[in-house]
Amino acid sequence: MAAGLARSLTLVVVVATILGSLCFIALSEDDRLEDLGFVRRAQDAPLVSSYNYIVIGGGTAGCPLAATLSEHSRVLLLERGGLPYRNMSNQQHFTDALADTSPSSPAQRFISEDGVVNARARVLGGGSCLNAGFYTRASNDYVQMAGPPSATRSSRPGVTPDNGFTLDHVTGTKIGGTIFDGTGERHTAADFLRHARPGGLTVLLYATVSRVLFRRQDGVAYGVVFTDPLGVQHRVYLRDGAKNEVILSAGTLGSPQLLMLSGVGPQAHLEAHGVQALVDQPMVGQGVADNPMNSVFIPSPVPVALSLVQVVGITKMGSFIEGVSGSEFGIPVSEGARRFARSFGMFSPQTGQLGTLPPRQRTPEALQRAAEAMRRLDRRAFRGGFILEKILGPVSSGHIELRSADPRANPAVTFNYFKEEEDLERCVHGIQTIEKVIQSRAFANFTYANASVESIFTDSANFPVNLLPRPHQRLAHAGAVLQGHRHDHLALPRRVPGRRSRRRRLQGVRGAAPAGHR
């Protein structure tokens, strides 16, 4: 399917931003992260210590930054999660972590106030341990606007011209880079720590920072407080020096949350949560955005190779089209995955990426019922791949607020998906592009001859997290919907439903609940 997507239209998706060099170097068997002397657990740290730099958050920004600073200084890197799980390193296990909703999961589940299921990284290496591993260079316009260089990975089929392999961000279809090596092993931002000066860096795992310490007289940060897994509080102070700093790199949700917990943010909001305001700064937490994703599953009459995002189409309208395929999506590939109410990869109800059940009704019980219903389906129902469309930007934005004063809890985040008409227009254009890809000659081998685009779109909308009762069905709960003709149609299409008008089909897109971007 990956080859078919590459020959079709152009697709593009920005999946991950990786700061610094992209020369990921694998750790040797004798030099694994857990064997590096400067990586230890938070409970082993002294109650009071001091460093030149304190970096909060060991993700795609924090890891390379801490390694670089350690060359000439003493640096402390505080990470609230642990080491990447071994089964996270291979692309066949891509969705295992996303389907894990346990308290120790490297992907901390959260549901936005919009009601969309999403996840934030809770592991050394950050998002580079969880995402599809695709990268491309940022566009020139973005670099000029943002300042420091960054790299993003993208892939998509369905837009011309065909640019072949390139790391440049250009309109058209392209094959991009990957952080998976030739054997399918993932190399994350945590690998940068291998190049740190051992005497200059200390990495503490499972260290939950509760607040940054600020001097009241001038508002300058001078230390942090963190809690270890045993509940013991530790204090870390900056050493004397004009250039010594506390660096906050805790992610889109974590950074503003920690600022507010430290007393920097909207005063009335902080005081409502029992936090004493040091600086009344109403803009903290404002302007947060998440690019919405919509996916279409295409059942294939032939097995397709495992392929994460490799081919991306970047459209002139500002939407990205990506291709993902592999029969493994329907078969749990690890014992770990079976623990999480049965994982079905990209199909998994636990990932929150598919479903027409209104987001606010996607309770754990509803997801469990969906997983059990899926377990009864023929495996051929999962054979095929996805075409995804995502929105560049987006224009719509929202805000983050405290839900409680507990630093381990998720803040309340509102993304306001599709609030701006421009984002909705881009979404519609992306779905139209996907329609062209499915109808292309290059895609013919990967679709059933008697399956129309309309039927494919309908099945994607109805499959299989949809637990809404239907008026014409006398069912106690709609988990039994999957016993009907729709799942048979998905597994082995037998008929060609009547086609609705394009106007009506696109109106259906407007009502779709977006899935959070990972």
Side-chain angles (χ1 to χ4, degrees):
M1 179 170 281
L5 294 180
R7 290 192 299 268
S8 314
L9 303 174
T10 304
L11 305 173
V12 171
V13 164
V14 175
V15 175
T17 299
I18 299 174
L19 304 180
S21 166
L22 283 168
C23 300
F24 290 105
I25 300 177
L27 301 177
S28 69
E29 204 51 38
D30 297 327
D31 197 21
R32 294 170 298 186
L33 283 174
E34 53 264 51
D35 296 330
L36 297 177
F38 54 77
V39 179
R40 60 194 72 161
R41 290 176 177 261
Q43 58 263 41
D44 298 328
L47 294 179
V48 179
S49 57
S50 62
Y51 291 84
N52 301 111
Y53 292 95
I54 304 170
V55 181
I56 304 172
T60 54
C63 283
L65 181 59
T68 301
L69 291 172
S70 71
E71 183 176 354
H72 300 293
S73 304
R74 286 205 62 206
V75 181
L76 175 64
L77 176 60
L78 297 171
E79 168 54 47
R80 68 192 186 110
L83 294 169
Y85 296 170
R86 295 193 180 281
N87 68 353
M88 292 172 57
S89 61
N90 192 282
Q91 64 178 351
Q92 288 189 333
H93 300 269
F94 167 57
T95 57
D96 283 10
L98 297 176
D100 178 2
T101 58
S102 69
S104 61
S105 172
Q108 182 178 359
R109 169 66 50 83
F110 75 93
I111 301 178
S112 71
E113 297 304 292
D114 316 271
V116 176
V117 178
N118 213 319
R120 53 191 292 219
R122 182 170 49 191
V123 61
L124 188 67
S128 65
C129 300
L130 303 176
N131 59 41
F134 182 91
Y135 68 82
T136 182
R137 294 191 184 97
S139 65
N140 291 333
D141 290 342
Y142 178 84
V143 171
Q144 292 174 2
M145 176 184 66
S150 65
T152 54
R153 185 174 181 227
S154 56
S155 91
R156 218 68 195 199
V159 182
T160 56
D162 183 354
N163 295 304
F165 173 79
T166 177
L167 297 180
D168 292 333
H169 183 89
V170 290
T171 300
T173 299
K174 58 174 282 184
I175 299 172
T178 179
I179 61 176
F180 291 97
D181 63 22
T183 66
E185 292 298 308
R186 180 193 294 267
H187 299 289
T188 74
D191 286 3
F192 283 118
L193 299 177
R194 179 180 182 272
H195 304 286
R197 181 173 66 89
L201 179 62
T202 298
V203 178
L204 295 181
L205 304 175
Y206 304 106
T208 302
V209 177
S210 57
R211 71 182 188 274
V212 178
L213 301 174
F214 292 97
R215 291 200 302 256
R216 183 171 291 276
Q217 61 269 30
D218 56 13
V220 174
Y222 66 92
V224 304
V225 178
F226 72 87
T227 304
D228 67 28
L230 302 178
V232 177
Q233 278 198 346
H234 302 249
R235 286 179 174 255
V236 188
Y237 298 104
L238 290 178
R239 293 182 168 185
D240 291 335
K243 294 185 178 181
N244 293 350
E245 292 178 336
V246 173
I247 300 171
L248 187 52
S249 57
T252 302
L253 274 62
S255 291
Q257 177 188 24
L258 189 51
L259 280 176
M260 286 187 278
L261 290 176
S262 305
V264 180
Q267 181 172 350
H269 177 63
L270 301 186
E271 292 176 348
H273 289 278
V275 177
Q276 183 179 8
L278 299 177
V279 178
D280 182 11
Q281 178 47 269
M283 291 308 296
V284 172
Q286 298 297 312
V288 64
D290 182 35
N291 60 315
M293 180 185 81
N294 288 284
S295 58
V296 177
F297 175 68
I298 299 102
S300 173
V302 297
V304 290
L306 174 66
S307 172
L308 296 183
V309 179
Q310 295 179 358
V311 181
V312 171
I314 302 175
T315 72
K316 295 179 180 179
M317 282 291 295
S319 57
F320 301 131
I321 315 297
E322 304 171 352
V324 181
S325 65
S327 58
E328 289 84 354
F329 289 160
I331 305 172
V333 293
S334 72
E335 289 301 321
R338 290 184 174 87
R339 297 200 313 269
F340 311 133
R342 184 73 183 249
S343 170
F344 292 89
M346 283 287 289
F347 291 102
S348 291
Q350 294 85 358
T351 67
Q353 294 293 2
L354 288 177
T356 56
L357 184 68
R360 295 184 185 279
Q361 297 180 30
R362 295 177 191 174
T363 64
E365 294 76 19
L367 299 180
Q368 176 65 27
R369 291 198 301 270
E372 289 303 313
M374 292 176 66
R375 187 173 56 84
R376 297 190 292 268
L377 294 179
D378 189 302
R379 282 186 172 180
R380 290 172 294 177
F382 304 101
R383 190 172 62 195
F386 291 87
I387 300 182
L388 319 172
E389 72 91 17
K390 299 179 182 177
I391 307 301
L392 173 64
V395 179
S396 304
S397 65
H399 58 276
I400 292 175
E401 296 179 328
L402 293 178
R403 196 185 301 276
S404 75
D406 183 355
R408 297 165 300 180
N410 288 315
V413 54
T414 302
F415 291 118
N416 288 326
Y417 296 107
F418 300 123
K419 180 180 180 181
E420 301 296 333
E421 186 71 20
E422 181 179 348
D423 290 335
L424 187 58
E425 291 175 357
R426 289 175 173 179
C427 174
V428 172
H429 180 267
I431 296 297
Q432 290 173 328
T433 302
I434 290 177
E435 183 175 8
K436 293 178 182 178
V437 174
I438 297 173
Q439 294 174 324
S440 68
R441 180 177 301 178
F443 220 86
N445 292 335
F446 303 106
T447 55
Y448 287 92
N450 60 343
S452 66
V453 173
E454 177 66 25
S455 67
I456 290 173
F457 275 49
T458 299
D459 284 327
S460 288
N462 291 326
F463 187 81
V465 185
N466 181 11
L467 304 178
L468 279 177
R470 302 293 176 131
H472 63 278
Q473 293 169 324
R474 300 183 185 89
L475 302 172
H477 50 76
V481 167
L482 296 175
Q483 306 298 318
H485 74 277
R486 270 183 278 135
H487 93 256
D488 289 333
H489 181 133
L490 179 69
L492 293 172
R494 298 189 181 94
R495 61 184 177 82
V496 180
R499 297 176 65 91
R500 292 181 296 174
S501 69
R502 170 167 295 190
R503 178 189 176 105
R504 184 181 176 191
R505 181 162 59 251
L506 295 181
Q507 286 175 337
V509 173
R510 289 173 177 262
H517 167 60
R518 300 193 190 284

